[in-house]
Amino acid sequence: MNVQDQYIINLIQKAHRIDGRGLEDFRKVTLEKNPIGQAEGSALVQIGNTKVVVGVKMGVGTPFPDTPKEGILICNAELSPLASPNFELGPPGEESIELARIIDRGIRESKAIDVEKLCITEGEKVWMVFVDIYPINHQGNLIDASGLAAASALANAKMPKLEGDKLIYDEKKTPLPLKELPIPVTFAQIKDHLVVDPSLEEERAMNGRITVSTKENGNVCAIQKGGDAMTMANIEKALDMSVKKGKDLRKLV
Amino acid sequence: MNVQDQYIINLIQKAHRIDGRGLEDFRKVTLEKNPIGQAEGSALVQIGNTKVVVGVKMGVGTPFPDTPKEGILICNAELSPLASPNFELGPPGEESIELARIIDRGIRESKAIDVEKLCITEGEKVWMVFVDIYPINHQGNLIDASGLAAASALANAKMPKLEGDKLIYDEKKTPLPLKELPIPVTFAQIKDHLVVDPSLEEERAMNGRITVSTKENGNVCAIQKGGDAMTMANIEKALDMSVKKGKDLRKLV
Amino acid sequence: MNVQDQYIINLIQKAHRIDGRGLEDFRKVTLEKNPIGQAEGSALVQIGNTKVVVGVKMGVGTPFPDTPKEGILICNAELSPLASPNFELGPPGEESIELARIIDRGIRESKAIDVEKLCITEGEKVWMVFVDIYPINHQGNLIDASGLAAASALANAKMPKLEGDKLIYDEKKTPLPLKELPIPVTFAQIKDHLVVDPSLEEERAMNGRITVSTKENGNVCAIQKGGDAMTMANIEKALDMSVKKGKDLRKLV
Amino acid sequence: MSTKREDGRGPEDIRPIKMEVGVIKNADGSAMVSLGKTVAIAAVYGPRELHPKHLQVSNRARLKCIYSMAPFSTTERVRPGPSRRSSEISKVTRESLEPALFLENFPKTTIDVFILIVQANAGTRTAGINAASLALADAGIEMRDLVTSVAAGKIDGTYTIDLAGKEEEATDCDLPIAYMPRIDKITLLQMDGDMPVKDVKGTIELAKKGCKILYEEQKKALLKKWAKEGLE
Amino acid sequence: MSTKREDGRGPEDIRPIKMEVGVIKNADGSAMVSLGKTVAIAAVYGPRELHPKHLQVSNRARLKCIYSMAPFSTTERVRPGPSRRSSEISKVTRESLEPALFLENFPKTTIDVFILIVQANAGTRTAGINAASLALADAGIEMRDLVTSVAAGKIDGTYTIDLAGKEEEATDCDLPIAYMPRIDKITLLQMDGDMPVKDVKGTIELAKKGCKILYEEQKKALLKKWAKEGLE
Amino acid sequence: MSTKREDGRGPEDIRPIKMEVGVIKNADGSAMVSLGKTVAIAAVYGPRELHPKHLQVSNRARLKCIYSMAPFSTTERVRPGPSRRSSEISKVTRESLEPALFLENFPKTTIDVFILIVQANAGTRTAGINAASLALADAGIEMRDLVTSVAAGKIDGTYTIDLAGKEEEATDCDLPIAYMPRIDKITLLQMDGDMPVKDVKGTIELAKKGCKILYEEQKKALLKKWAKEGLE
């Protein structure tokens, strides 16, 4: 354990955080809608110095055999070494796969997209929705930045026009059939304390991480714990706080 | 050459083996039929402490252009690091490819599967038979354990029902159309002596390996030599002995 | 910089080359037409000790959605470690990708192949032309050897016969519909001097490389600069000389 | 509540449990765990030297977990080799086991845990964690506690444990946990579904209860192996 | 000639230019360059130690460039991961930047340049080079000159700069260059098309002219950043 | 028996043989072998230092063999890059050459053998072994014996050597061997087919006979090269 980690842990025991925030405070969150012209929908989210772009692209493909009437959602995250000295070139590693899958599950389990409306010809042709997550600067809590940006990109996406077999990308009008806005909120357990929206420094000092994605009605649609062992008390605190924080963030979309 | 290798070589020159077996003796061979509920057919073979599971799965695919009326056989072997400290993670290496191809050739060349009976619609749709070989513990002679398990898994396989484009895996009745049971028997040349069913220790000390797969009528359907140079005398001995040993093993299927 | 590089640079400043050639001289170039029986067209080009085989194979495939009436050209180069101690096993690296793409662009941009004549059924089935580049010995200037061999292989290629869905490779008669013979010519900038057809030793000492592909009418159809910074004077010299040298090489095809 | 489940179990009943330690002779530790028709085997190799050297950590062991499914373990054949799903499960499995270990005791080494799902019928990641935990103990690696794991959900208003077969479609959520009963800490927690916070808490509580049952079985399996070794 | 272009520009006009230095806090240097609807961002990390050691060069730094496109940067989604096209662009980008650097000053290290195309509408490689050059300067790495880059062509008989949209189909050639204006040397030169040598020369000359315009913008962007830092 | 074969050969006749040593200047040793329409070239590099170092074997050289087919060598284009078939052939090729070498004389090094099939019409692995064996000798690497290789079979009751064209379909088996004639040992033996043990033995015997013919050609090719070098 290095000196900074130790300092963060000492502070937390007096309920203080290294950047002066309260335990339940997010860093400053900003959201820019549709910054990418060529995407069907996009968003740039900044949480403190963490910056993530999410773009939604659509195409046409074959449905999965077991869901012949449903469109297909594909979430992908690229942890480009552009965004952090700790990211490496190469095929997606555990960390980027986990990030993509957390966002994917939040969308999928909350039934955010009305996938049946994305069916073109049953069993043959359906819309595919690609959600591509690109961190530009990683200063902690990529999950919440990615989840918020994904929700916004989907909410503001317009579908290209389909003429026969051809996609006309110049004429985008119809919005994506969206029913829900799942918002993930992430907490770090540092020593035995729980803080929301961990910064990169806090992520290095934490001994447990939990993400709770909630729906507009406050229901939980996905959870992912990472890192070390957590107490039941902290898990319950995270569950409770995630609903409130999710509501706040959802207002930005 | 280490001490154990030297010891094995010294013993063999007195026609003795490190585990007390005769030169023409297999270790104890046991075979459990269909241990895997979800497989169409499966077998667990133990030869001494060597343990291999083989599972047969079936699917529907497109035939190869040059054999439009024939089903497709695909053999695959995974040398998982679970089974031996000498196996490594990663895509299949030479050893696992060779293992799969020896088993594949025995089945293919003996015409064990009546591939024409696996045609559904000529040129369009045929059955695919996947034979997946998973060593669980590697203590020598993976080839014979895999070959015996593959023969048993195929012999005891039941095909799923095909309704239109859909496979009903709950209703398996029809056995695979099988015409033959090819059995590989492997020999190690240690110094100039030939032993059957080499243990891992013997494989390390051997200077040549030969596998002969035979059919019920005693015909040879596949040979694969590995390792160092062999004398014609040992090759002939292996050919002769493989028929007898193959008959013994075939009884277990 | 090693001694040989320094020697080459010293020589060039007196307008001398290490192998005695003039600055504008190619090494001896020979071309053997159709050395490979199984290829639709092939050529073996030697430039000094550099030796490259190019083979053209044809198949049938689906056209790209945006060019439904056009056949498909695929250029590929394998820098096999057989040809040089500096080549490594593994998937194509930057160098082999660049080589293939330079040859590809020369053919494509000069409209050498009449791709519309390679359409079989619009939007469904077109001819695919594979140009595979295999250096056998690398002693410098692989680009020109590959480009000349590719031009010859295409010029001497005969298409297999298509009967229904089947390709009859035994009956090749019709030549490939070819309209142009693009020829790349490569120059090295050593110190501030420009030499044509650099040998391997010169490639090591050079501080810039430029390839200009020209058509029969002298038009430029592709340029690729590599290496270090070049002066405008050298670029203009290369442009001018490439037309003349291209004409000479084209006579061999 | 007295709802009967498709296999006749009560809501708090776990499927038939079989655990066996020491099933892979080559491994330093190994175990097989079956819960109904789900069968996982795990092998532990290490602590052993880590190569290449630049991956070594100077003050602790690296724990490596690889979860994979045999192609014949499911109704439709699984392609061999890692998938996005298996990579994620490998990661959460590692994180669920790590808190039980004293990695700082084995600097520069690696402890490799390989999990193979031989038969799959729901609950493969939890079965794999149970097997891996046993295999680590079998390897003689000191542990803070055994890690024990099970999934729970809520079907027709009833908290229900160890979902199997079609229950995965009927439940309001699928919530796997891993738990160290003696220390009372949770090392794995995932959830897919749609339910209020209150129900999430209830589901976790039931899962913890289930873990305690499996914990007893794990201890029995270890004792059985140790007793056998004592006899030898 | 006075041909108007589809976006109203004159033949020697570059699209609206935006350049910003320091957009990625984690990087040692970074920049964003947009030309019309094409947006590139670049990050520089290094000089930093190169691992594994056997890749180190004893008497100079290794320059590594990776060009990639975000999947959502184009009309049809691009598959993530390297392609043959991106590998070639990475190579020519590296070769276009290298002549500006004093790599011999940083033996055994690596300087890593990552370029991400966020929006693509023609001229992505040249936008990427402009951004990378700024990012290198922002990283405080000494340079012989800024590298500046633009493509030119000839449409309906007129030399035309910074092709965009459907102009790439109408031009006789697409000719991107990279250029060090102060030193007057060309570090990138590619050309696809069909035109006489004389026209190639003319096109290069116009591209050089365009580079000088971008060069001034690059210097302004750097000054702005440095001024801001001075104020802090 | 006096069956004529599709190309007019008798059953014990090998196709027209061409062998040439020293065809690749860069290599330490090289050779080209053609048998009818099958053409293989082989290059040997080494013994040379093996990198990375952790792959070095302290008391012997590593022999590495890579067999590959040019995409244009067959009727239908072969995809470049390794396949399962080529991996297996690489392995058996290495095992067929290794017994001829004194690897213990070159500790910590690697001897790399690359085989490229330029034209394929049956018997590519055996042609490759013949070429590789010549290339090793050409590299000046001491050998116990030349390795020589050919396939045989049985067609219409007649043992037949060096199958070509449609004979591969008509034969009862395809049985390639590699053989060291002076030492009388077999280093490659594979067989696909269906025949009694007695016939397998007969086929091997004929293959050995064929190897002896090729052995003489190999020696001639080496002498020709050495004579030429002597003249230089």
Side-chain angles (χ1 to χ4, degrees), chain F residues 114-136:
Chain F
F114 303 106
I115 296 168
L116 180 68
I117 303 304
V118 179
Q119 291 194 52
N121 179 358
T124 63
R125 83 187 64 191
T126 53
I129 291 168
N130 288 323
S133 172
L134 280 176
L136 285 163

Side-chain angles (χ1 to χ4, degrees), chain C residues 75 94 97-98 100-101 105 109 215 219-230 232 240 243, chain E residues 84-85 87-88 91-92 94-95 99 185-197 201 204-205:
Chain C
C75 284
E94 277 182 0
I97 290 173
E98 187 188 37
R101 285 177 65 87
R105 282 211 300 266
E109 296 296 328
K215 300 186 3 176
N219 269 14
V220 177
C221 55
I223 303 177
Q224 181 90 341
K225 199 199 80 49
D228 216 324
M230 289 188 86
M232 193 62 197
D240 294 330
V243 182
Chain E
R84 292 169 69 89
R85 176 181 173 275
S87 292
E88 188 197 351
K91 180 177 191 289
V92 296
R94 187 185 72 238
E95 293 173 332
K185 283 200 170 167
I186 286 176
T187 65
L188 171 84
L189 175 58
Q190 295 185 291
M191 184 267 216
D192 285 357
D194 187 352
M195 54 160 57
V197 165
K201 294 179 184 170
I204 298 176
E205 286 304 336

Side-chain angles (χ1 to χ4, degrees), chain A residues 145-222:
Chain A
S146 302
L148 182 59
S152 170
L154 288 168
N156 294 294
K158 297 270 190 304
M159 299 169 66
K161 204 172 150 187
L162 183 69
E163 279 189 6
D165 270 0
K166 239 184 147 170
L167 284 175
I168 316 293
Y169 285 95
D170 292 344
E171 301 178 29
K172 297 184 206 164
K173 277 189 201 159
T174 330
L176 248 188
L178 214 69
K179 300 190 295 185
E180 187 56 65
L181 285 175
I183 303 288
V185 177
T186 297
F187 304 86
Q189 177 182 271
I190 304 177
K191 221 38 186 167
D192 286 325
H193 294 69
L194 201 73
V195 302
V196 76
D197 177 33
S199 67
L200 189 60
E201 293 72 24
E202 290 173 330
E203 287 184 352
R204 287 189 185 125
M206 75 186 174
N207 64 335
R209 190 203 74 205
I210 185 166
T211 300
V212 183
S213 297
T214 52
K215 299 184 8 175
E216 296 190 60
N217 68 359
N219 269 14
V220 177
C221 55

Side-chain angles (χ1 to χ4, degrees), chain C residues 21 53 62 66 73 78-79 100 111 115 142 163 179 185 206 231 244:
Chain C
R21 281 187 282 163
V53 185
T62 316
D66 50 339
L73 168 71
E78 290 285 314
L79 300 188
K111 302 192 170 44
V115 283
L142 285 180
E163 279 188 8
K179 299 190 297 185
V185 177
M206 76 185 175
T231 60
K244 194 176 143 290

Side-chain angles (χ1 to χ4, degrees), chain D residues 138-212:
Chain D
D138 181 39
I141 295 171
E142 195 190 351
M143 296 171 80
R144 288 190 174 80
D145 197 357
L146 286 171
V147 178
T148 177
S149 181
V150 79
K154 190 177 186 188
I155 302 179
D156 293 335
T158 308
Y159 296 125
T160 308
I161 205 158
D162 189 25
L163 310 175
K166 281 164 192 163
E167 291 175 343
E168 285 200 317
E169 289 157 37
T171 184
D172 292 351
C173 84
D174 182 15
L175 187 151
I177 73 163
Y179 181 58
M180 294 189 290
R182 201 177 57 78
I183 297 178
D184 189 25
K185 282 201 171 167
I186 285 176
T187 65
L188 170 84
L189 174 60
Q190 295 185 290
M191 185 267 217
D192 286 355
D194 187 351
M195 53 161 57
V197 165
K198 173 180 64 69
D199 288 357
V200 173
K201 293 179 185 170
T203 308
I204 297 175
E205 286 305 335
L206 179 60
K208 282 167 64 178
K209 230 164 126 178
C211 282
K212 285 172 191 161

Side-chain angles (χ1 to χ4, degrees), chain F residues 34-148:
Chain F
S34 72
L35 284 135
K37 289 180 192 160
T38 291
V39 181
I41 53 181
V44 169
Y45 289 88
R48 56 183 177 184
E49 213 184 334
L50 177 52
H51 290 288
K53 284 202 168 179
H54 70 90
L55 294 179
Q56 294 181 356
V57 187
S58 62
N59 60 350
R60 38 168 284 180
R62 179 192 69 161
L63 178 65
K64 178 174 195 145
C65 288
I66 303 292
Y67 163 101
S68 62
M69 299 185 84
F72 44 74
S73 64
T74 50
T75 303
E76 279 181 65
R77 180 176 184 261
V78 188
R79 284 174 68 108
S83 65
R84 293 169 68 90
R85 176 180 173 274
S86 72
S87 293
E88 188 198 352
I89 296 181
S90 294
K91 180 177 190 289
V92 296
T93 297
R94 187 185 71 237
E95 292 173 332
S96 74
L97 296 169
E98 214 169 284
L101 302 176
F102 299 88
L103 296 179
E104 60 278 18
N105 290 355
F106 312 104
K108 298 188 185 180
T109 67
T110 183
I111 299 175
D112 296 331
V113 179
F114 303 106
I115 296 168
L116 180 68
I117 303 304
V118 179
Q119 291 194 52
N121 179 358
T124 63
R125 83 187 64 191
T126 53
I129 291 168
N130 288 323
S133 172
L134 280 176
L136 285 163
D138 181 40
I141 295 170
E142 195 190 350
M143 296 171 80
R144 288 188 175 80
D145 197 358
L146 285 171
V147 178
T148 177

Side-chain angles (χ1 to χ4, degrees), chain C residues 73-165:
Chain C
L73 168 71
I74 293 166
C75 284
N76 175 57
E78 290 285 314
L79 300 188
S80 163
L82 173 124
S84 166
N86 300 316
F87 294 161
E88 281 173 21
L89 279 176
E94 277 182 0
E95 201 180 347
S96 79
I97 290 173
E98 187 188 37
L99 172 58
R101 285 177 65 87
I102 294 173
I103 305 309
D104 183 279
R105 282 211 300 266
I107 298 169
R108 203 175 290 275
E109 296 296 328
S110 68
K111 302 192 170 44
I113 300 173
D114 191 344
V115 283
E116 300 210 350
K117 289 209 175 128
L118 296 180
C119 179
I120 302 166
T121 316
E122 186 180 331
E124 285 181 23
K125 232 194 274 182
V126 296
W127 286 100
M128 304 181 74
V129 181
F130 296 93
V131 175
D132 283 292
I133 300 164
Y134 268 73
I136 300 298
N137 198 60
H138 171 29
Q139 271 295 327
N141 199 10
L142 285 180
I143 299 173
D144 295 0
S146 303
L148 182 59
S152 169
L154 288 168
N156 294 294
K158 297 270 191 303
M159 299 169 66
K161 205 173 149 186
L162 183 69
E163 279 188 8
D165 269 0

Side-chain angles (χ1 to χ4, degrees), chain A residues 94-110:
Chain A
E94 277 181 0
E95 201 180 346
S96 79
I97 290 173
E98 188 189 36
L99 172 58
R101 285 177 64 86
I102 295 172
I103 305 309
D104 182 280
R105 281 211 300 265
I107 299 169
R108 204 175 290 275
E109 296 295 328
S110 67

